[in-house]
Amino acid sequence: MNQIKIGNFIARKRKEHNLTQKQLADKLSISDKAISKWENGRCMPDVAVMLDLCNVLNITVNDLLNGEVVIMENYKEKSEELLLEMVKEKEERDKMLLIAEVIIGIVSLIPLLIATVFVAYNQGIEEWVRTITVLASIIPLLIALPFLIKIEQKAGYYRCSECGHCYVPTFKSVLWSMHMGRTRKMKCPKCGKKSWQKKIVKKEK
Ligand SMILES: [Zn+2]
């Protein structure tokens, strides 16, 4: 951010509106010293007054931060770029989450596997010890399960096989649906049909 440029921009816009520093300060209920500081590029308007300042000067926050009126076309391009970047970041994050889901799932299953093998090969020990061993070994999985389902619900999208609609289902519908791997039998919120719906990371159009 170029404070000098922003300061000059504020001064120019203020003069365009035929306002003195004092008049602008009064409109924003701040001291005229603050205005002079901004215009000299010594400091930036506080976030709290930024919106009011933009309203008074009839500019957008984007204009203010750029120190110039951002041309609409350019502005659209910039915001689309930003949006694409955010979408890509989300896709990357979702991919990592889904990998994490598999790892957490496997790790939380290990105690159960060990307990099962232990019980199977130690027929001599008492029944209640065997039962408690197996029950206790399920605890990690029980603790992990809500997180796993949450990941399954939130990361990426489900794609309706009937109408192609991509959506994030509710936690409840993920929890109670039949599934084969990540493909779940759920009701599509758009077409209302129940079908097997695939997990995807990239939203298809
Ligand atoms: Zn559908």
Side-chain angles (χ1 to χ4, degrees), residues 112 115-116 118-119 122 125-138:
L112 177 61
T116 310
F118 172 79
V119 165
N122 291 279
I125 49 176
E126 282 183 68
E127 186 64 33
W128 67 272
V129 177
R130 290 157 44 129
T131 308
I132 284 180
T133 305
V134 173
L135 284 181
S137 71
I138 297 173

Side-chain angles (χ1 to χ4, degrees), residues 160-165 167 187-193 195 197:
C160 171
S161 58
E162 295 285 337
C163 71
H165 180 52
Y167 66 100
K187 198 170 158 185
C188 166
K190 197 180 180 193
C191 70
K193 286 181 189 149
S195 66
Q197 303 178 1

Side-chain angles (χ1 to χ4, degrees), residues 39-55:
E39 294 188 354
N40 290 327
R42 269 187 292 151
C43 72
M44 281 287 293
D46 195 75
V47 179
V49 293
M50 217 178 248
L51 267 184
D52 287 336
L53 175 66
C54 288
N55 277 334

Side-chain angles (χ1 to χ4, degrees), residues 19-128:
L19 293 169
T20 63
Q21 288 189 345
K22 179 87 180 67
Q23 285 168 328
L24 179 58
D26 287 344
K27 275 180 187 282
L28 300 172
S29 328
I30 53 172
S31 75
D32 49 352
K33 257 188 197 150
I35 309 272
S36 138
K37 274 188 195 165
W38 302 342
E39 294 188 354
N40 290 327
R42 269 187 292 151
C43 72
M44 281 287 293
D46 195 75
V47 179
V49 293
M50 217 178 248
L51 267 184
D52 287 336
L53 175 66
C54 288
N55 277 334
V56 172
L57 300 182
N58 197 22
I59 55 175
T60 67
V61 174
N62 209 357
D63 295 340
L64 179 69
L65 296 179
N66 279 288
E68 62 185 7
V69 173
V70 182
I71 304 158
M72 220 43 196
E73 230 175 299
N74 211 350
Y75 175 73
K76 202 179 157 214
E77 218 168 77
K78 264 187 192 165
S79 44
E80 268 170 15
E81 235 169 66
L82 204 70
L83 207 67
L84 270 179
E85 224 169 86
M86 281 161 63
V87 167
K88 231 184 216 161
E89 271 170 29
K90 178 178 156 40
E91 283 171 8
E92 285 305 310
R93 208 168 46 233
D94 286 353
K95 242 185 248 171
M96 296 304 289
L97 275 173
L98 290 170
I99 292 170
E101 187 197 2
V102 174
I103 295 171
I104 296 168
I106 291 172
V107 168
S108 56
L109 265 175
I110 289 173
L112 177 61
L113 289 176
I114 293 173
T116 310
V117 172
F118 172 79
V119 165
Y121 282 92
N122 291 279
Q123 301 288 345
I125 49 176
E126 282 183 68
E127 186 64 33
W128 67 272

Side-chain angles (χ1 to χ4, degrees), residues 112-187:
L112 177 61
L113 289 176
I114 293 173
T116 310
V117 172
F118 172 79
V119 165
Y121 282 92
N122 291 279
Q123 301 288 345
I125 49 176
E126 282 183 68
E127 186 64 33
W128 67 272
V129 177
R130 290 157 44 129
T131 308
I132 284 180
T133 305
V134 173
L135 284 181
S137 71
I138 297 173
I139 292 171
L141 188 62
L142 287 181
I143 293 171
L145 212 55
F147 295 103
L148 299 180
I149 295 172
K150 198 91 196 157
I151 291 175
E152 186 100 9
Q153 176 212 356
K154 292 254 165 128
Y157 310 90
Y158 281 95
R159 186 172 188 278
C160 171
S161 58
E162 295 285 337
C163 71
H165 180 52
C166 299
Y167 66 100
V168 176
T170 61
F171 184 79
K172 231 169 130 184
S173 62
V174 171
L175 182 63
W176 295 113
S177 60
M178 271 198 292
H179 66 105
M180 290 197 318
R182 279 199 176 120
T183 303
R184 290 182 174 267
K185 194 161 195 177
M186 288 189 296
K187 198 170 158 185

